Amino acid sequence: MSKISNFVGVSARKNVEAAIAKAHANESFHALLSLTETRALERADAVDRGEISGKLAGVPFVAKDNFLTLGGTTTAASKFLENFAAPLQATAIEKLEAEGAICIGKANLDAFAHGGSTENSAFGPTKHAFDQERVAGGSSGGSAVAVALGIVPFALGTDTGGSIRQPASFNGVVGVKPTYGTVSRYGVVAMASSTDTIGVLASCTDDAALVMSIISGKDTKDMTTLPDFFVPTKLDEKKSIGVIKEAMTDDVDPEVRRVTNEYVEKLRTDGHEVEEVSLSLLKYALAIYYIVVPAEISSNLGRYDGIRYGKRAEANRLREVYGSSRDQGFMTENKRRIMIGSYVLSSGFFDAYYLQAQKVRTLLINEFNALLTTFDVLITPVAPTPAFILGENTNDPIKMYLSDVMTVPASLAGLPAISVPAGKNEQGLPIGVQLIGKRRDDALLLALAKRIEEEV
Ligand code: GLN
């Protein structure tokens, strides 16, 4: 059931006031880092006066706090950008505003989107929407919880290795990581440029498809963007679907496997052909990701030097300004990735790590492409477990990284992948299933999920 439609054609001011009141009532979850109340109410009044119209006129939303927005700060959940007021807005925000949508606040994340639990936020973690002892997932944890709690009908997130899909799965909402290049990255804090994507979290596939159709498209400010292709579709034909067996081993939580199998059965009952398939290189995906992505991070985060914008440490010499600003501005996980990235790119190690990882990445892409000539859609769980307990993985980065094992493959290959609610475990924690498609088949994935959405 579309939640967005409830907000269209009614008082925009009431919509915004209700969303802000809900945000305040749910402060204990720490889903939002800031509200942009003044600007939101001004825009709402302009909608109500008929000065702004469009498909999302008066619909409130939140953006992950790594999207540049006007009317408040953009912190990337880091001390570095704690007081940073952006001089411009991300293209995705501009496109939503052009259709009348109203950004009411900024959602919490792992600092610079490095993480899978939102515990790396410099301002404290977001709590899971249905169990405050647990993590929200991440790094778009605030966006997922804001949608799951009904503060807003949709939220923007970013997904570099699973950051939309995994928190969507943990909190029982739909999450879309589109084909690489679908949505402009202009005005979004860069993490790893070869896998950074922008997408949406919403409470149903129709709402997600509507928002995707608005934010996607060519942008001259991001040369990697593709021409418009995201048109919401309805699925009438039967599809051939492959369930990746390496993602269904004993290492995966039994309840996650049960829910995935039940979802697959529903697809079979709907008439689709389902087969077990092998993605033999899945086992290398995490290793590739945690070499390539830190390498790109170490380069992208070089711009935070304490000089141009953001935090500047007091020091007498230039080198000390750089060093101390970076020391004070970055979180431990940011520093770990910068160090790993600098190491794998340094002369002497470049060939052994970075180059080797890129070669295996190509093999992974080829294996995906071969599978996707036979199958329309591939299925895996989104994460090996449901939402874990706060603090459970914080002292063990490898354990934390393992949560990304199912989501990083599609990121490395630039393929569209969505997370859809599929069921719950015995304790009532939501569990999502991941559908991966061919490049530009984003709308088809949502249409396929919609066929059995009502039953979930
Ligand atoms: N959890 C993954 C990581 O830590 C994904 C992060 C993301 O997609 N931004 O890198």
Side-chain angles (χ1 to χ4, degrees):
M1 261 284 286
S2 167
K3 290 235 171 100
I4 287 181
S5 56
N6 297 336
F7 292 86
V8 178
V10 294
S11 157
R13 177 167 264 270
K14 281 210 178 113
N15 285 343
V16 168
E17 282 175 350
I20 286 173
K22 247 189 169 166
H24 284 304
N26 287 294
E27 264 163 18
S28 62
F29 291 90
H30 202 224
L32 303 183
L33 292 176
S34 59
L35 289 169
T36 44
E37 192 164 347
T38 309
R39 189 180 148 87
L41 286 170
E42 274 167 20
R43 285 185 42 81
D45 290 340
V47 169
D48 288 337
R49 287 193 302 267
E51 292 161 18
I52 303 175
S53 58
K55 289 183 201 144
L56 296 176
V59 180
F61 72 97
V62 297
K64 188 175 179 177
D65 205 18
N66 54 355
F67 284 78
L68 304 195
T69 53
L70 297 174
T73 51
T74 297
T75 68
S78 76
K79 286 263 159 58
F80 235 126
L81 297 176
E82 190 165 5
N83 301 309
F84 177 64
L88 52 89
Q89 302 209 101
T91 298
I93 303 282
E94 290 285 319
K95 287 191 162 200
L96 287 170
E97 286 201 344
E99 290 292 345
I102 300 173
C103 180
I104 64 141
K106 306 297 289 292
N108 200 4
L109 64 150
D110 292 290
F112 290 102
H114 302 173
S117 67
T118 315
E119 292 169 291
N120 294 334
S121 166
F123 309 115
T126 296
K127 313 282 177 64
H128 187 274
F130 306 113
D131 181 352
Q132 291 221 12
E133 303 283 298
R134 289 179 188 270
V135 299
S139 61
S140 312
S143 298
V145 170
V147 174
L149 293 174
I151 295 172
V152 282
F154 76 90
L156 289 184
T158 59
D159 190 314
T160 300
S163 277
I164 288 176
R165 289 163 282 164
Q166 185 251 35
S169 170
F170 280 9
N171 294 284
V173 302
V174 173
V176 180
K177 181 214 97 70
T179 304
Y180 181 78
T182 302
V183 182
S184 171
R185 291 176 289 123
Y186 180 73
V188 178
V189 176
M191 178 177 164
S193 305
S194 81
T195 68
D196 280 349
T197 56
I198 283 154
V200 61
L201 299 99
S203 56
C204 67
T205 52
D206 277 346
D207 285 353
L210 173 61
V211 176
M212 282 306 304
S213 71
I214 290 167
I215 62 175
S216 59
K218 186 91 199 141
D219 181 9
T220 50
K221 296 183 186 129
D222 174 357
M223 67 179 185
T224 62
T225 46
L226 302 162
D228 262 320
F229 65 89
F230 195 100
V231 180
T233 39
K234 202 164 161 275
L235 190 77
D236 296 318
E237 329 120 50
K238 302 301 169 202
K239 294 289 167 193
S240 61
I241 297 168
V243 183
I244 299 180
K245 69 170 189 223
E246 288 82 1
M248 292 291 275
T249 61
D250 288 350
D251 298 331
V252 178
D253 179 282
E255 288 286 273
V256 170
R257 276 183 281 146
R258 173 184 64 75
V259 167
T260 309
N261 284 327
E262 284 169 12
Y263 190 86
V264 165
E265 263 328 294
K266 286 181 192 166
L267 285 168
R268 214 175 247 133
T269 310
D270 193 43
H272 307 284
E273 248 174 63
V274 189
E275 248 177 73
E276 198 182 78
V277 298
S278 170
L279 184 72
S280 69
L281 296 175
L282 181 95
K283 59 177 181 286
Y284 298 121
L286 260 188
I288 305 168
Y289 178 88
Y290 277 100
I291 291 172
V292 172
V293 165
E296 295 184 22
I297 286 172
S298 71
S299 160
N300 272 330
L301 266 50
R303 72 191 66 171
Y304 301 98
D305 54 10
I307 303 293
R308 282 170 285 187
Y309 38 71
K311 189 173 187 64
R312 177 183 300 189
E314 289 296 326
N316 295 326
R317 290 165 183 274
L318 185 62
R319 282 183 70 97
E320 285 167 24
V321 173
Y322 291 154
S324 302
S325 301
R326 289 170 73 77
D327 183 38
Q328 291 166 25
F330 288 131
M331 303 285 287
T332 304
E333 183 61 24
N334 306 137
K335 292 176 188 169
R336 180 179 292 124
R337 292 181 188 216
I338 291 168
M339 285 194 286
I340 294 172
S342 306
Y343 181 82
V344 299
L345 289 175
S346 58
S347 67
F349 297 107
F350 179 86
D351 288 356
Y353 292 100
Y354 183 75
L355 199 61
Q356 186 66 11
Q358 290 289 25
K359 285 180 183 166
V360 186
R361 180 186 190 177
T362 301
L363 297 178
L364 176 72
I365 294 171
N366 292 345
E367 193 175 23
F368 257 129
N369 287 344
L371 272 181
L372 288 165
T373 53
T374 318
F375 296 92
D376 301 306
V377 174
L378 302 172
I379 290 198
T380 71
V382 177
T385 64
F388 42 90
I389 302 278
L390 280 157
E392 190 180 321
N393 293 339
T394 33
N395 293 327
D396 187 345
I398 303 284
K399 240 175 117 195
M400 192 71 98
Y401 297 168
L402 278 172
S403 170
D404 307 326
V405 62
M406 319 276 190
T407 47
V408 297
S411 298
L412 291 166
L415 299 171
I418 67 170
S419 167
V420 286
K424 293 193 164 125
N425 75 355
E426 281 162 351
Q427 293 159 270
L429 292 171
I431 293 172
V433 161
Q434 175 176 235
L435 309 182
I436 304 171
K438 299 175 191 164
R439 281 174 71 75
R440 300 177 191 238
D441 263 355
D442 310 47
L444 174 118
L445 296 179
L446 287 166
L448 177 63
K450 184 181 161 63
R451 294 211 38 114
I452 55 170
E453 184 170 37
E454 287 74 19
E455 295 174 40
V456 172

